[in-house]
Amino acid sequence: MSKKINKIIQAIFPALLMVSGALLTGAILIIISGNDPIAAYAALLEGAFSNSYRISETFVKAIPLMLMALGVSIAFKNQIWNIGAGGQFTIGTILSVIVCLYFKLPPIPTIILSFIFAFIGGALWGGLAGWLKARFNANEVITTLMLDYIATYLLAYLVYGPMMDPNGFGYPQSAVIEKVLRLPKLIVGGRLHTGIFVAIAILFLMLLFWRSTLGFKIELAGQGNDVSRYAGIDNKKIIVITMLLSGGLSGIAGWNEIHGIHLRLMTDLAGSYGSIAIVIALLGNLNPLGIAISAYFFSVLIVGGNTMQNLTGIPYSLVDIIQGLIVVFVITRTAFRTESIQTFFRKRRYQHNG
Amino acid sequence: MDNIFTATFFVSIFASTIRLATPILLTALGEIYTQRSGILNLGLEGTMTMSAMAGFVCAYFSKNLFIGFLGGIIVGMICSAFMAFLSITVRANQVIAGTALTILGIGFSSFIYRIIFGIQKLPPQVESLTKFDIPLLSSIPYIGTIFFQHNLIVYLAYILAVFSWIVLEKTTFGLNVKAVGEHPRAADSKGINVSKVRYTAVIIGGAFAGLSGAFMSIAYMNSFSDTMIAGRGFIAVAVVVFARWNPLRAMVGSLLFGIASALQIRFQAIGVPIPNQFLLMLPYLVTIIALITVSKKAEFPSAYTKPYSRMER
Amino acid sequence: MRNITKIFGHLKANDAVDFKLRENSIHGLLGENGAGKTTLMNVLYGLYRQEEGEIYIHGQKTDIVSPLKAISSGIGMVHQHFMLARPLTVVENIMLGRKSSRGIFLDTRKVAAEIRELSDRYHLMVDPYARIWQLSVGQQQRVEILTTIYQGANILILDEPTAVLTPQEAETLFSILRQMRDDGKSMILITHKLEEILSVVDDVTILRDGKMISSFKVTPATTKEELSRLMVGRDVLFDFNPAAVKPGKERLGMKDLRVKNDKGLPAVNNFSLSVSEGEIVGLAGVDGNGQKELAEALTGLRPAEGGKIFINGIEAENKPPAFFIHQGVAHIPEDRQNMGLAMGFCVSKNLIIKRFCQQPYAKNGLMNYKNIKNHAQKMIQDFQIKTNSTEDITRDLSGGNQQKVILARELADEPSVLIANQPTRGLDVGATEYVRSRLLEARSKGAAILLISADIEEIIQLSDRIAVIYNGELMGILPKGSQPETIGLLMMGKRQGENTGVKENQ
């Protein structure tokens, strides 16, 4: 048992170290800006936890971030750099709303169908990039990014055009989905909704997924083309499957946001979720539990960051800086582990001698 | 009457196409050096935001636009030097390093801006770069308005496109950049310092992105906001792939994005019910299609996103 | 070069080697794989620093600290893997790293004219404005030669230049080399092909196990047998493999098999061979003669362009890798780090990467890590894998233990066919002996084993029959107990029955 605890500590310790490093650097920035870092972080915590509304907000924000980061992590495990989770999310929201507004079905089937459509939509958006990679060797970094923009403009087209709410005074947004289609709220005066149970269920499914043969295949494919082919895996097929699943989870995040929070389409629903999801996936070391914890941590930063800005005048962008620093620490540590830095120092020494 | 209206309409569309293409072109030109050397800098969005902020701050306090541009360029070079450090020295994954740089750049620029200016009712402004009509040429009907009534940076961008083509095709430095991107080992065996060339190429990319960022805050607008780059850094990356790493084709790619934005702004202004989002989408679609054909011919620099180490085979 | 010693770790790659190159001559450097030829030349070219010894060029002691220094001392090297950037033109590749007469601008036109002139002088037929990817391999090699001449080299090192060429291209190359010799240049030809020594070379130096064995002028009286004996020459081997069981029915068959390499050139030509139950067939050959491509075709990793493959009597050419795994074809690949192992996986997972979908490791689509761990514990014990736990990352294991992991995985389920490609390369003595004894054990359990090796000693020790491959073709099949010299001759491209006095085995 103590061995297990040891292992958990070993897994979490580096993440804690990196987070502390980022927070510390943030504190130095606060001091340079002429403010008190302790007061700032206290304000941040107050903003995240001082009342039930705020606490519920930390969970509300964590849900889509976690789902998207879980999706991103599937691709990353296979060494596919899906940076377009935002676009896959957007397609998910669009299909959800289409099902809700135009399918005229009873409430329960509508919610389920909306869920399925959102998953398929996100999956196809991601899978398209995967197929382009498998078929044409098209760099997925560029294709997922382009598809992200295309999704954003598609959403803009819909809310400015055919899906614009006729009674919406010309605002770029769709009609609101019916009340019965909304995910029930869990607390009074907060926005926390039953979508969290779906998210938790998916978290457990993901834990199970990495113990499945398909999960094993994806992980093995990420170890290199040669070894996975050698082990009898069809690499091209796995690339497409990886991206289908990766995009699908972001699609579900879209479904969750529509039925739980936004209730309608608006422009730029994805915001910067796509890039935050990458940070969360990396900080969580691509492990589902790690991702869940990181997602909550980032959600606290986001929710508390606004309060910090209002109370202390320290800009919210400090939160962005902390995020960026965490990524820098994570990749530097990975590089250390793969010994490239050690090689670098060896080389330097050799040059000094010679 | 109708006829004259149409002519002015097109003239103004084309003129703004050229203006709107400028920041994308500048950034894309810099990224061509970077990618040709084998590095993918996805952090341009952050670099441009930082430079837009730096350019604005420098111009605001010095009351001198030239110092503003210089500040933007220097900050752009610093940001990309950080990217170069992560991708060349630390040998980190370039996609992730670029993502980090984008997040950090946007975060830092808005943080610093807020620390300096606080919250004000009216955003602080600088006098932006004025138009410079090229004598004689600017008075040619239509043509003059389209091509020769812009600010200096616009002209500079198009000159730099030709200049960059000459650098890459006709100079030893250009050859070295291409060689370290294609076959770093061969370059190394001929006595070329691979890291040094790559650092230089990435930092040149940063200088271009820096100029472009400063253009946004002090020549295109006259104020700064942390969302003002609005994806132009990423679009520039798309243009580079679209242009297959050729500065002259990058000009075509940037103009394509420029005309899409120009039409969108114009349509919105006069309320034409044409779904301009499809127009905006077009360049991204074209990039994907270009990428498919390019990838098949494997025209990507062979050492694209691959760190180089003499030790490994 | 006098008294050159180069040490890697505890291995002496060059042990007090003397090497003397006359002006205006072509000098052959002959030796088996790992004899230290390339190491010696890399020292001369400044890529490695020697631990001991000096280098004299034109009588002058020269300290060659880097390739740049070598180039300025008039030494040029044509590598086996070309140092050419494919999208660039010939002239651009040649200008690379060179000072331009026009300052920062390239003097393309001037250099192109000079290249054209040099090209004409040596009949290289190179168009300076052609892009590298448009050129054939032979032309690319001539570009490399041109580069070194252009840099002012009068000593050229060519590392196995004919390995990538067709016979016709090789002939062209030789006539170019002769012409360059007559023009006052000296060349060092690293090779292990005997005809090349006899046909173009003036002097020859033979290396074996890092030591200089002999160096002499090649005369019409020099014979292949003499060279081969000097190169391979070793004591008579004891028989490691006494219990030759009677082989059973055919498990692995190839008929007129043709396979291409990565460049799309023929690598294996009309290859026919059969391996039966309970038999080890050794496939001897110098590296790069099609062994890798053959092994990959026999495991579904590379398409067969023609001919047939039979696995347990079933036609199997161009079936996916999964089919071969299913049929019990085990494969110890040459590239164990990229192909044989998932280096980032732990040992227990690596032990099942080929059968992770099967019981007891998985059930209903879910992995059973308890069974996987138990299996790993058993394997670690059975195969004496040195590791702290089943969860150690494979990358952190030593080379010998990594190979044991592969061995454990491939042999655990008593394969019907085993393709072992260079299974002991780079391993220390203990691990080597262990791997060999395991192969013999697998044979006695009935596996049909194709042992691909460049190590003649290994082939002789283990094989029941010895096949030899050269240039992708089967040179002949020798019986157990054949002499190393006989095998060596076939490996150098001499066909069986061609004046060797060896009779066909089958």
Side-chain angles (χ1 to χ4, degrees):
Chain A
M1 198 58 203
S2 69
K3 216 172 157 189
K4 217 164 194 178
I5 292 167
N6 234 345
K7 224 173 130 188
I8 291 169
I9 290 172
Q10 258 177 27
I12 293 177
F13 183 70
L16 282 178
L17 207 67
M18 287 181 283
V19 168
S20 322
L23 290 175
L24 212 67
T25 317
I28 294 168
L29 286 174
I30 296 170
I31 293 170
I32 292 173
S33 75
N35 289 293
D36 177 5
I38 295 171
Y41 286 139
L44 194 146
L45 289 178
E46 195 189 327
F49 298 115
S50 63
N51 62 40
S52 61
Y53 174 78
R54 286 170 170 172
I55 294 174
S56 87
E57 273 309 279
T58 59
F59 287 101
V60 165
K61 281 266 190 302
I63 297 170
L65 289 177
M66 181 187 82
L67 289 172
M68 290 168 80
L70 286 173
V72 165
S73 72
I74 298 175
F76 280 16
K77 272 259 166 122
N78 192 357
Q79 304 279 320
I80 298 174
W81 307 107
N82 174 12
I83 59 171
Q88 294 140 24
F89 169 95
T90 303
I91 298 296
T93 59
I94 292 172
L95 287 182
S96 267
V97 172
I98 286 177
V99 170
C100 292
L101 292 184
Y102 305 117
F103 273 40
K104 310 289 180 214
L105 292 168
I108 298 293
T110 307
I111 292 177
I112 292 171
L113 205 64
S114 157
F115 182 89
I116 293 169
F117 267 60
F119 177 82
I120 291 175
L124 289 180
W125 215 242
L128 178 58
W131 179 76
L132 290 171
K133 183 181 175 68
R135 176 77 179 74
F136 300 102
N137 193 26
N139 190 316
E140 77 278 7
V141 174
I142 315 275
T143 53
T144 50
L145 186 64
M146 296 301 111
L147 286 170
D148 193 353
Y149 279 100
I150 292 173
T152 308
Y153 287 121
L154 183 65
L155 173 62
Y157 162 70
L158 292 173
V159 295
Y160 275 105
M163 287 180 75
M164 188 189 263
D165 185 0
N167 312 315
F169 310 105
Y171 279 111
Q173 54 192 26
S174 75
V176 177
I177 64 173
E178 277 183 61
K179 270 213 169 70
V180 283
L181 298 176
R182 296 174 190 177
L183 292 167
K185 285 194 176 154
L186 285 176
I187 53 168
V188 187
R191 296 199 295 172
L192 186 61
H193 54 85
T194 43
I196 194 168
F197 298 125
V198 177
I200 290 169
I202 286 171
L203 176 63
F204 279 104
L205 277 177
M206 279 306 295
L207 283 169
L208 213 56
F209 177 75
W210 290 122
R211 298 185 74 90
S212 74
T213 51
L214 181 59
F216 190 91
K217 268 188 199 174
I218 287 174
E219 245 184 296
L220 185 51
Q223 290 286 314
N225 281 339
D226 283 343
V227 69
S228 63
R229 244 164 63 76
Y230 168 77
I233 289 171
D234 183 342
N235 283 334
K236 292 190 170 180
K237 207 168 102 190
I238 280 293
I239 289 175
V240 176
I241 292 175
T242 301
M243 282 304 292
L244 282 172
L245 291 174
S246 181
L249 284 189
S250 290
I252 292 176
W255 169 86
N256 179 81
E257 289 299 273
I258 289 300
H259 288 267
I261 303 294
H262 299 302
L263 314 174
R264 56 153 52 118
L265 287 180
M266 291 175 276
T267 53
D268 201 26
L269 276 173
S272 58
Y273 279 8
S275 63
I276 302 175
I278 294 173
V279 183
I280 292 170
L282 288 174
L283 181 64
N285 208 10
L286 308 187
N287 171 304
L289 283 179
I291 287 170
I293 297 167
S294 313
Y296 186 71
F297 168 72
F298 274 98
S299 177
V300 167
L301 280 185
I302 292 168
V303 174
N306 282 316
T307 312
M308 177 188 74
Q309 173 165 313
N310 294 338
L311 288 183
T312 64
I314 298 164
Y316 171 83
S317 40
L318 186 72
V319 172
D320 293 334
I321 295 176
I322 290 171
Q323 283 174 18
L325 287 173
I326 287 175
V327 186
V328 171
F329 291 148
V330 171
I331 53 179
T332 311
R333 175 167 173 268
T334 315
F336 250 111
R337 260 202 313 224
T338 53
E339 286 179 38
S340 63
I341 287 227
Q342 288 160 26
T343 320
F344 168 71
F345 284 119
R346 260 208 303 280
K347 200 166 97 194
R348 291 303 284 266
R349 220 168 32 237
Y350 157 80
Q351 278 170 350
H352 285 303
N353 291 344
Chain B
M1 202 58 193
D2 252 357
N3 257 346
I4 294 166
F5 173 75
T6 325
T8 10
F9 176 75
F10 280 114
V11 166
S12 85
I13 287 278
F14 290 139
S16 53
T17 296
I18 285 178
R19 200 162 38 94
L20 286 163
T22 301
I24 293 168
L25 174 60
L26 278 172
T27 310
L29 289 176
E31 179 74 357
I32 287 177
Y33 290 91
T34 307
Q35 292 201 7
R36 270 283 168 109
S37 81
I39 308 281
L40 166 66
N41 185 353
L42 269 184
L44 293 174
E45 187 79 9
T47 307
M48 285 174 76
T49 315
M50 277 298 278
S51 297
M53 186 275 298
F56 178 80
V57 170
C58 289
Y60 183 86
F61 288 106
S62 68
K63 307 263 179 264
N64 183 332
L65 288 180
F66 174 73
I67 291 178
F69 284 116
L70 201 66
I73 291 171
I74 289 170
V75 166
M77 289 166 80
I78 294 170
C79 289
S80 59
F82 182 60
M83 174 70 197
F85 174 75
L86 287 178
S87 52
I88 300 166
T89 306
V90 180
R91 290 155 50 81
N93 179 303
Q94 291 172 18
V95 175
I96 310 294
T99 309
L101 188 58
T102 291
I103 298 173
L104 273 177
I106 294 172
F108 263 112
S109 52
S110 104
F111 185 82
I112 296 169
Y113 180 82
R114 280 284 303 273
I115 295 300
I116 295 176
F117 295 103
I119 305 168
Q120 300 183 6
K121 276 225 176 79
L122 280 173
Q125 295 191 333
V126 292
E127 195 138 325
S128 85
L129 195 60
T130 47
K131 272 200 315 178
F132 177 81
D133 295 355
I134 293 181
L136 297 176
L137 292 174
S138 61
S139 45
I140 305 170
Y142 305 139
I143 305 285
T145 325
I146 294 173
F147 292 107
F148 302 110
Q149 296 182 10
H150 295 286
N151 67 46
L152 282 173
I153 303 295
V154 176
Y155 303 127
L156 181 64
Y158 293 90
I159 294 167
L160 279 174
V162 179
F163 174 79
S164 296
W165 182 82
I166 293 170
V167 168
L168 282 170
E169 297 302 321
K170 301 286 176 197
T171 69
T172 44
F173 173 72
L175 182 58
N176 291 352
V177 168
K178 288 189 281 186
V180 300
E182 291 296 343
H183 199 326
R185 185 164 298 278
D188 190 16
S189 81
K190 294 189 173 159
I192 293 166
N193 185 333
V194 175
S195 296
K196 199 169 130 192
V197 173
R198 285 188 167 174
Y199 261 96
T200 315
V202 176
I203 291 172
I204 289 176
F208 274 85
L211 178 61
S212 164
F215 173 89
M216 287 305 294
S217 61
I218 59 183
Y220 183 74
M221 313 249 204
N222 52 6
S223 59
F224 169 79
S225 95
D226 57 359
T227 55
M228 73 186 313
I229 302 303
R232 286 181 176 83
F234 290 116
I235 295 171
V237 175
V239 166
V240 171
V241 180
F242 171 82
R244 279 176 285 146
W245 300 276
N246 178 323
L248 301 179
R249 279 197 292 253
M251 212 148 73
V252 179
S254 311
L255 288 170
L256 190 66
F257 276 95
I259 200 162
S261 328
L263 283 174
Q264 183 236 351
I265 293 170
R266 200 56 46 161
F267 284 166
Q268 224 159 21
I270 56 177
V272 177
I274 293 174
N276 52 52
Q277 286 84 12
F278 288 113
L279 221 55
L280 286 167
M281 236 184 250
L282 198 66
Y284 301 99
L285 269 175
V286 173
T287 304
I288 290 181
I289 293 163
L291 192 61
I292 293 170
T293 49
V294 168
S295 301
K296 255 195 157 170
K297 278 190 269 172
E299 276 187 46
F300 269 86
S302 313
Y304 203 51
T305 72
K306 287 193 191 95
Y308 172 65
S309 151
R310 198 181 270 184
M311 316 285 169
E312 289 165 19
R313 252 190 353 116
Chain C
M1 298 176 85
R2 272 190 216 158
N3 199 24
I4 300 291
T5 300
K6 171 72 201 173
I7 303 173
F8 292 113
H10 53 268
L11 184 85
K12 273 192 180 174
N14 284 151
D15 189 358
V17 173
D18 291 322
F19 181 84
K20 206 167 161 188
L21 173 68
R22 287 186 299 129
E23 270 180 51
N24 292 9
S25 73
I26 302 176
H27 196 119
L29 187 57
L30 189 65
E32 280 190 288
N33 294 318
K37 299 168 300 205
T38 306
T39 308
L40 185 66
M41 288 302 111
N42 281 342
V43 169
L44 179 56
Y45 193 59
L47 286 167
Y48 296 151
R49 286 302 301 267
Q50 70 272 28
E51 265 77 29
E52 276 170 48
E54 293 106 39
I55 298 169
Y56 296 85
I57 295 168
H58 302 304
Q60 205 130 48
K61 187 176 168 193
T62 313
D63 200 15
I64 301 177
V65 289
S66 70
L68 273 191
K69 175 71 186 172
I71 293 167
S72 68
S73 312
I75 299 171
M77 184 149 177
V78 176
H79 300 265
Q80 224 178 338
H81 303 280
F82 300 143
M83 295 289 187
L84 298 169
R86 290 171 55 77
L88 302 184
T89 62
V90 170
V91 57
E92 282 176 324
N93 269 288
I94 291 178
M95 285 188 296
L96 191 58
R98 195 187 128 272
K99 266 211 155 50
S100 164
S101 62
R102 287 174 62 209
I104 60 161
F105 287 101
L106 292 168
D107 43 359
T108 314
R109 218 167 305 163
K110 176 166 160 278
V111 176
E114 287 164 1
I115 291 171
R116 197 160 271 149
E117 197 206 323
L118 275 177
S119 166
D120 289 346
R121 171 143 40 119
Y122 297 110
H123 304 288
L124 296 175
M125 293 174 292
V126 170
D127 171 12
Y129 291 110
R131 296 196 180 271
I132 298 300
W133 59 266
Q134 297 169 322
L135 302 179
S136 71
V137 177
Q139 285 172 313
Q140 289 183 26
Q141 190 174 54
R142 297 207 285 276
V143 173
E144 287 273 51
I145 293 173
L146 198 53
T147 312
T148 59
I149 306 174
Y150 188 78
Q151 284 167 340
N154 43 40
I155 300 173
L156 251 75
I157 308 166
L158 296 113
D159 190 356
E160 300 190 16
T162 55
V164 289
L165 300 182
T166 64
Q168 292 81 359
E169 282 177 325
E171 213 27 72
T172 318
L173 173 70
F174 291 152
S175 72
I176 291 167
L177 294 185
R178 284 191 201 101
Q179 197 166 11
M180 282 165 53
R181 173 187 60 195
D182 300 340
D183 208 50
K185 304 214 182 283
S186 317
M187 277 143 285
I188 302 170
L189 197 68
I190 304 178
T191 185
H192 39 227
K193 293 186 183 166
L194 299 178
E195 306 98 22
E196 287 175 11
I197 297 290
L198 296 179
S199 65
V200 283
V201 158
D202 302 311
D203 305 290
V204 63
T205 294
I206 296 166
L207 294 184
R208 193 201 306 154
D209 298 331
K211 292 196 184 69
M212 202 272 277
I213 297 299
S214 179
S215 184
F216 53 88
K217 243 189 157 82
V218 177
T219 64
T222 314
T223 62
K224 282 190 184 179
E225 283 76 7
E226 186 185 347
L227 291 171
S228 170
R229 196 162 43 245
L230 284 165
M231 184 173 135
V232 182
R234 48 165 65 90
D235 305 331
V236 177
L237 298 153
F238 70 98
D239 199 344
F240 189 77
N241 171 20
V245 280
K246 202 168 158 40
K249 62 176 192 321
E250 175 187 289
R251 286 268 181 87
L252 168 68
M254 291 147 257
K255 192 156 183 351
D256 299 328
L257 187 63
R258 279 180 288 123
V259 188
K260 284 185 176 166
N261 65 14
D262 290 335
K263 293 199 177 98
L265 298 170
V268 176
N269 296 314
N270 297 322
F271 199 90
S272 301
L273 187 65
S274 153
V275 187
S276 303
E277 189 180 289
E279 174 186 50
I280 297 181
V281 173
L283 184 63
V286 173
D287 277 358
N289 275 296
Q291 295 98 318
K292 175 172 164 266
E293 288 79 4
L294 179 67
E296 290 183 5
L298 293 180
T299 47
L301 295 168
R302 190 178 282 275
E305 301 294 326
K308 301 222 173 299
I309 296 171
F310 297 97
I311 302 289
N312 301 323
I314 306 169
E315 260 190 50
E317 66 275 2
N318 295 327
K319 291 255 166 58
F323 170 84
F324 288 85
I325 295 170
H326 209 71
Q327 281 296 322
V329 178
H331 178 199
I332 300 174
E334 185 182 11
D335 185 353
R336 66 183 76 117
Q337 307 220 326
N338 288 314
M339 186 175 276
L341 291 167
M343 296 301 266
F345 272 18
C346 62
V347 173
S348 64
K349 279 183 176 179
N350 255 310
L351 283 167
I352 50 120
I353 56 172
K354 277 189 174 175
R355 34 193 68 241
F356 62 90
C357 280
Q358 298 166 14
Q359 293 228 37
Y361 313 122
K363 200 178 166 186
N364 303 329
L366 280 184
M367 309 291 293
N368 185 333
Y369 280 106
K370 205 172 137 222
N371 289 348
I372 291 170
K373 198 172 169 180
N374 289 341
H375 171 73
Q377 268 159 355
K378 186 166 173 295
M379 287 296 118
I380 285 171
Q381 238 173 25
D382 285 2
F383 285 80
Q384 301 166 17
I385 302 167
K386 285 199 188 65
T387 164
N388 294 325
S389 81
T390 55
E391 311 308 304
D392 276 16
I393 300 300
T394 313
R395 187 182 288 113
D396 301 335
L397 264 53
S398 73
N401 280 304
Q402 288 175 357
Q403 187 72 332
K404 282 181 183 173
V405 173
I406 297 181
L407 209 61
R409 181 183 65 221
E410 298 305 308
L411 297 181
D413 299 284
E414 304 198 352
S416 68
V417 176
L418 169 65
I419 315 285
N421 195 358
Q422 319 291 356
T424 62
R425 174 165 293 168
L427 302 187
D428 61 33
V429 183
T432 300
E433 287 308 312
Y434 184 79
V435 170
R436 289 180 186 168
S437 67
R438 277 290 178 168
L439 292 181
L440 290 174
E441 193 189 316
R443 179 194 65 176
S444 61
K445 284 181 181 162
I449 301 176
L450 181 66
L451 168 67
I452 302 172
S453 178
D455 182 345
I456 298 185
E457 197 171 337
E458 176 166 281
I459 293 276
I460 291 174
Q461 273 192 9
L462 300 177
S463 310
D464 299 313
R465 285 187 297 147
I466 300 164
V468 182
I469 189 171
Y470 172 80
N471 247 337
E473 283 174 40
L474 184 67
M475 302 313 284
I477 297 171
L478 300 168
K480 185 175 167 55
S482 297
Q483 287 304 302
E485 285 79 5
T486 324
I487 302 168
L489 269 180
L490 263 58
M491 282 167 72
M492 302 304 142
K494 191 159 183 174
R495 239 170 232 290
Q496 191 174 10
E498 235 180 74
N499 200 13
T500 56
V502 180
K503 287 195 192 87
E504 283 275 337
N505 189 42
Q506 280 189 323

